Amino acid sequence: MANRHRVYLVPGFFGFTQMGDKESERIAYFQNVPRLLEQRFKERGIDARVHPVASAPSSGLEARARDVFREMARTANEDDAQLHLVGHSTGGLDARSVVSPRMAGEAPAFVKRVRSVVSIATPHYGTPLASFFHEGDVGKTMLRYLWLFTFLALQRKAMPFRTAALQACYWLVLRSEEAKLPPNLFNQIVRLTVDLSESERENLIRFFSQVGENQALIEDLMPVSMRAFNAHTADREDVRYGCVVTGAPLPTQTLRMLLTPDALLHGLFSFLYDKSAPLSRELQVPERTEAQSQALQDVLGRRFEARSDGIVPSRAQVWGQVLHVAVADHMDVMGHFDQPPEYISWLKSGAHFQEPQFQAMWDRVIDFTVGGAVTVHPGNQAERRVLADG
């Protein structure tokens, strides 16, 4: 079955596959990605199946790797297809763990059939943002409050104030849609939670209970922790490793931006970008190859080392062959960008990442996973104009 393939999509932090039963209200991590991949495989005449993988949302890297083992086991043994792992953010680290010699002793036999690992916007050398949230247990406290809020919002017991608040939020969503304001993540969440089925309620409570119980992933993503991870997680010789690097424009707070409905969300992105601290001394990145550096410079400019996608510094995302460099924020490449109505941006970065860039990026991933090594896509050249070199 040399020409049969299975591609496993491994999510990052908060690693869910989708939330919500009703298609019109569903929130998916890999938004529109499986559909695009299946369409492209069909157009190319490739026998391939796409499998989004669920993992523990905020547990440590070891626990998440075992989750990937279990999820893959459901389908990997149905045939002897070649296997490929594509991980976004922390999912890229999970993918490296799964195929690493370090995990070989407990890895199922099918892991030997993994032929490629692609990491997308992955903090291979950590991110100072994790250090910020780890300091003083800021991140853990926020996640615990999120779990508590979700539990109170979703429990079965009737709460008039909660019901009234949700209905008020839903009214605001409807009015914003009537005014033809751009859809956003808030709209999606309100539509999902205002009228939950019993199974949706139970699934959400289960998911956020995991978040409340374990927040080890924050510490694992600190640069100092990633140095230890990399020292003990070697690449496998018979696996090809490629990466997609993302970098957003430096955030600006112009008067025009402050007067838009997305001003608050853009302010949040600016805060995250600052705390990701691309030039932090805490971030120790080894010397890149000439080809890797050239690929980043071609798209992000000569000062690419100062770039971030708002979560992960761009230079910390390089591992193996640089397949593609995108002017995008951390979630754009998962299909969460502003192009209503099919796409809704989760981060308001001003990257102007749209459908053509989305398709070009995933085409490069397909080239690499089902074929041999590739070079950076010529379409990257067009992105040079988006990020100023200054």
Side-chain angles (χ1 to χ4, degrees), residues 262-283:
D262 296 328
L264 180 61
L265 292 175
H266 186 74
L268 175 60
F269 176 79
S270 299
F271 172 80
L272 294 173
Y273 194 109
D274 178 67
K275 296 305 178 183
S276 70
L279 295 177
S280 171
R281 293 182 180 179
E282 179 188 10
L283 194 63

Side-chain angles (χ1 to χ4, degrees), residues 70-332:
R70 285 191 289 271
E71 287 289 311
M72 291 179 68
R74 297 180 183 180
T75 57
N77 287 320
E78 292 179 2
D79 50 40
D80 57 355
Q82 296 182 35
L83 308 182
H84 309 273
L85 294 171
V86 179
H88 173 252
S89 192
T90 307
L93 304 176
D94 300 334
R96 284 176 51 203
S97 290
V98 165
V99 301
S100 70
R102 174 176 60 85
M103 299 287 284
E106 56 189 283
F110 59 73
V111 171
K112 295 179 181 179
R113 297 184 357 240
V114 174
R115 293 292 171 261
S116 69
V117 168
V118 175
S119 57
I120 301 174
T122 293
H124 291 291
Y125 301 97
T127 172
L129 184 64
S131 302
F132 167 76
F133 280 113
H134 178 70
E135 186 176 354
D137 283 342
V138 173
K140 291 182 178 180
T141 301
M142 289 178 62
L143 290 176
R144 288 179 185 133
Y145 276 121
L146 176 62
W147 165 77
L148 179 61
F149 170 80
T150 306
F151 177 78
L152 292 175
L154 298 180
Q155 66 169 309
R156 291 189 183 88
K157 183 180 178 181
M159 299 175 67
F161 176 77
R162 179 193 68 189
T163 302
L166 282 174
Q167 291 297 333
C169 290
Y170 188 56
W171 182 88
L172 289 174
V173 168
L174 294 178
R175 298 295 81 75
S176 69
E177 291 175 352
E178 289 176 359
K180 300 190 181 304
L181 294 177
N184 54 51
L185 182 59
F186 173 75
N187 294 35
Q188 279 191 300
I189 293 174
V190 170
R191 280 190 172 278
L192 174 63
T193 56
V194 73
D195 186 24
L196 291 171
S197 68
E198 192 61 29
S199 64
E200 288 174 326
R201 189 187 310 277
E202 291 176 358
N203 288 336
L204 284 173
I205 289 178
R206 187 181 306 112
F207 176 84
F208 283 102
S209 292
Q210 290 180 288
V211 173
E213 292 167 2
N214 193 325
Q215 306 89 31
L217 188 55
I218 296 174
E219 183 174 1
D220 282 358
L221 296 180
M222 294 169 53
V224 64
S225 301
M226 284 308 304
R227 288 196 284 275
F229 174 86
N230 289 332
H232 294 93
T233 310
D235 288 350
R236 215 173 76 193
E237 292 183 359
D238 59 337
V239 173
R240 291 176 290 113
Y241 294 80
C243 66
V244 172
V245 177
T246 52
L250 291 170
T252 55
Q253 294 288 356
T254 64
L255 178 61
R256 181 180 178 184
M257 179 65 72
L258 292 173
L259 295 177
T260 67
D262 296 328
L264 180 61
L265 292 175
H266 186 74
L268 175 60
F269 176 79
S270 299
F271 172 80
L272 294 173
Y273 194 109
D274 178 67
K275 296 305 178 183
S276 70
L279 295 177
S280 171
R281 293 182 180 179
E282 179 188 10
L283 194 63
Q284 297 181 14
V285 178
E287 187 175 347
R288 289 170 298 276
T289 66
E290 183 177 348
Q292 290 171 335
S293 292
Q294 190 63 53
L296 270 66
Q297 181 175 314
D298 282 348
V299 178
L300 303 181
R302 290 193 301 273
R303 298 181 60 188
F304 65 82
E305 296 207 355
R307 300 297 184 186
S308 164
D309 64 9
I311 304 295
V312 182
S314 300
R315 65 191 179 110
Q317 301 174 26
V318 177
W319 193 272
Q321 184 175 355
V322 178
L323 309 180
H324 191 85
V325 182
V327 179
D329 64 47
H330 195 67
M331 295 306 298
D332 280 340

